[in-house]
Amino acid sequence: MALVGLEELRAAQRRISGVAVRTPLLPCPWAAEGSRALWLKPENLQPTGAFKIRGAYNRLAALTDSERARGVVAQSSGNHAQAVAYAARLLGLKAVIVMPDTSPAMKVANTRAFGSEVILVPPAERDILPAELVEKHGYVWVPPFDDPYIIAGQGTVGLEIGEDAPDELDTVLVPCSGGGLLGGTAAALKLTCPGVRVIGVEPELAADAQESFRTGRRAVWPIADTQRTLADGLRTPAVGVLPLEHMQAYVDDMVTVTEQEIRDTVAVLARRGRLVAEPSGAVAAAAYFHHADELDGRVFAAVVTGGNLEPALLAELLAQ
């Protein structure tokens, strides 16, 4: 399958304009350390609280009239679910969302509030039921990451970073689950700012993407293993096929962060950055704060992918 190019990225940028927020690139003088500096891309400010609206709307808006009439089905632990539900409501489409029953209650409630039907299943069934629903009802499948329209939509994050970044920017840190955001953002940056390094970040308890990236073979981790991380949005057991191709073409390296580093960074972003970041959204900044020896950069941008977390969890992390 062909890699997403600049034409597809620019088309996605035009398509989502006015729906997805063009989030700013925020300087963080409080995070400077010697010659190191940090900028944050706060995707938690999106209408659905996460970057996923970019890819979801780009995919749904590109459907044909006959496809729209069939309705759509998606699976997600929360952020893609909310994005598809919101995009479907804007476009007047029927949407059915399959969510693991371990999803945060707030994400489930938000998805339902956008008007979609939500079906809760055990985590092991979340990749099985959507195919059955497609077969039974004819719904259009909207994957969370393994789709060129999804990758291009998420890649608009990289276009915006490239347009807004200071000249000194040398490294961009991007969280990775299924790889749609990382692959798309890396493609956008390498095609517009080829000198900038792109590094993927994921929890060490769900490091299937790092294994896949380094071995060149798509690793599949047991769902029971990836479920261990607090970062519920990064529990995908395997990176997507097409995202992995983009990662191998454009990503420079991948690092992992610990659970404690994720917890600490959620608190730091809230206290110092005035940003509410869910654990999944904090992993890129966690790499900046805790893995300087692995990154070898001076001026960083880190994507804060989302801020959809339970208030009780936020309180717990702030009190630690």
Side-chain angles (χ1 to χ4, degrees):
M1 193 176 294
L3 299 181
V4 167
L6 194 55
E7 181 178 347
E8 290 82 9
L9 289 159
R10 295 293 188 199
Q13 191 173 42
R14 292 190 295 271
R15 196 175 285 121
I16 69 173
S17 177
V19 175
V21 173
R22 194 187 196 288
T23 55
L25 199 60
L26 302 175
C28 302
W30 51 270
E33 183 182 74
S35 62
R36 299 175 76 236
L38 176 67
W39 296 67
L40 293 174
K41 180 72 167 168
E43 287 294 292
N44 57 315
L45 302 181
Q46 291 293 347
T48 58
F51 74 96
K52 289 284 192 175
I53 185 58
R54 296 173 180 269
Y57 191 83
N58 191 48
R59 173 65 274 182
L60 267 60
L63 294 175
T64 65
D65 289 342
S66 62
E67 288 173 328
R68 293 188 184 199
R70 289 159 53 191
V72 299
V73 64
Q75 71 84 1
S76 165
S77 65
N79 286 335
H80 181 60
Q82 293 172 86
V84 171
Y86 180 65
R89 188 177 76 174
L90 291 178
L91 293 167
L93 310 181
K94 174 181 175 59
V96 177
I97 315 295
V98 177
M99 302 182 71
D101 56 16
T102 55
S103 301
M106 183 181 73
K107 292 184 177 181
V108 175
N110 288 347
T111 303
R112 285 181 170 141
F114 288 131
S116 290
E117 177 185 351
V118 173
I119 303 175
L120 297 177
V121 299
E125 296 180 19
R126 76 174 191 176
D127 292 320
I128 299 172
L129 182 58
E132 296 176 354
L133 295 174
V134 168
E135 178 69 21
K136 182 177 181 180
H137 299 288
Y139 298 139
V140 176
W141 166 236
V142 182
F145 43 80
D146 215 343
D147 178 278
Y149 285 92
I150 298 290
I151 293 171
Q154 319 303 30
T156 59
V157 169
L159 291 180
E160 292 175 11
I161 291 174
E163 292 164 357
D164 296 345
D167 293 340
E168 299 82 7
L169 180 73
D170 56 39
T171 307
V172 177
L173 305 170
V174 186
C176 182
S177 180
L181 174 66
L182 176 58
T185 297
L189 285 164
K190 293 297 184 178
L191 293 172
T192 59
C193 308
V196 173
R197 299 180 74 237
V198 180
I199 298 177
V201 188
E202 63 183 343
E204 65 177 19
L205 294 184
D208 57 281
Q210 185 191 60
E211 180 181 338
S212 299
F213 176 77
R214 292 188 173 175
T215 64
R217 297 185 301 273
R218 186 167 170 265
V220 180
W221 280 33
I223 290 176
D225 286 355
T226 61
Q227 289 290 312
R228 296 172 298 168
T229 180
L230 185 66
D232 64 277
L234 305 181
R235 291 172 178 165
T236 302
V239 70
V241 174
L242 186 55
L244 181 57
E245 293 181 16
H246 285 76
M247 289 162 57
Q248 291 177 321
Y250 297 119
V251 173
D252 294 283
D253 198 5
M254 292 199 66
V255 300
T256 62
V257 292
T258 69
E259 295 299 292
Q260 190 58 54
E261 289 166 352
I262 295 171
R263 288 173 170 269
D264 292 344
T265 304
V266 171
V268 167
L269 292 177
R271 294 193 186 105
R272 302 299 307 279
R274 282 80 63 189
L275 291 174
V276 174
E278 62 189 279
S280 303
V283 297
Y288 171 85
F289 290 119
H290 298 282
H291 293 265
D293 56 332
E294 297 179 56
L295 301 179
D296 191 31
R298 291 190 312 103
V299 181
F300 293 81
V303 182
V304 179
T305 51
N308 292 313
L309 78 168
E310 302 285 351
L313 177 58
L314 177 60
E316 173 191 331
L317 297 179
L318 287 172
Q320 66 181 8

